Amino acid sequence: QVQLVESGGGLVQAGGSLRLSCAASGRTFSRYIMGWFRQAPGKEREFVGAITWSGGSTYYGDSVKGRFTISRDNAKNTVYLQMNSLKPEDTAVYYCAADEHGLVVTTTPEDYDYWGQGTQVTVSS
């Protein structure tokens, strides 16, 4: 069992930056593919990005490529989402998720086994 706790959300002006953190419990964190998703009101959950267990590879959704960066620190059981050049359309609840059994990164929410409670990010224009 893994518990995920996100933090770092808040209100920011367009063009600004935020850094989200996701702290995980469990001894096998370093084996999991970690993903970030977001969900805006009335919309489906959207893949933001993911990082492999070693941190050697990262993947991003088209809407955030070049602006967001995912990293992880396995010694601290934490994954990060650095968000730069934020836009009002980035406003959403952001979730981190862990894929316990995956061998390759997937963008499908249903493939992830554990989820955090989410953190609100609001970007004002």
Side-chain angles (χ1 to χ4, degrees):
Q1 190 73 16
V2 174
Q3 290 188 328
L4 304 174
V5 179
E6 302 97 336
S7 61
L11 174 64
V12 64
Q13 288 189 331
S17 298
L18 279 176
R19 188 195 197 201
L20 305 185
S21 299
C22 173
S25 64
R27 295 177 296 174
T28 56
F29 169 79
S30 61
R31 301 180 189 175
Y32 301 153
I33 291 171
M34 297 298 298
W36 284 97
F37 291 80
R38 66 186 183 185
Q39 190 164 19
K43 295 189 176 181
E44 293 186 352
R45 194 160 294 192
E46 177 189 11
F47 173 76
V48 173
I51 187 167
T52 53
W53 67 270
S54 67
S57 295
T58 53
Y59 304 82
Y60 299 96
D62 289 341
S63 61
V64 306
K65 273 181 188 175
R67 300 188 297 122
F68 290 11
T69 303
I70 296 175
S71 60
R72 68 189 295 164
D73 185 339
N74 287 340
K76 295 182 178 180
N77 279 13
T78 302
V79 62
Y80 305 97
L81 180 66
Q82 178 67 44
M83 305 185 294
N84 299 329
S85 303
L86 283 161
K87 305 174 182 180
E89 50 264 45
D90 294 319
T91 295
V93 177
Y94 283 70
Y95 300 89
C96 71
D99 181 354
E100 183 177 18
H101 303 291
L103 299 178
V104 295
V105 167
T106 173
T107 63
T108 304
E110 290 74 15
D111 290 335
Y112 288 78
D113 303 290
Y114 305 104
W115 291 82
Q117 83 288 351
T119 186
Q120 176 70 46
V121 171
T122 303
V123 184
S124 64
S125 57

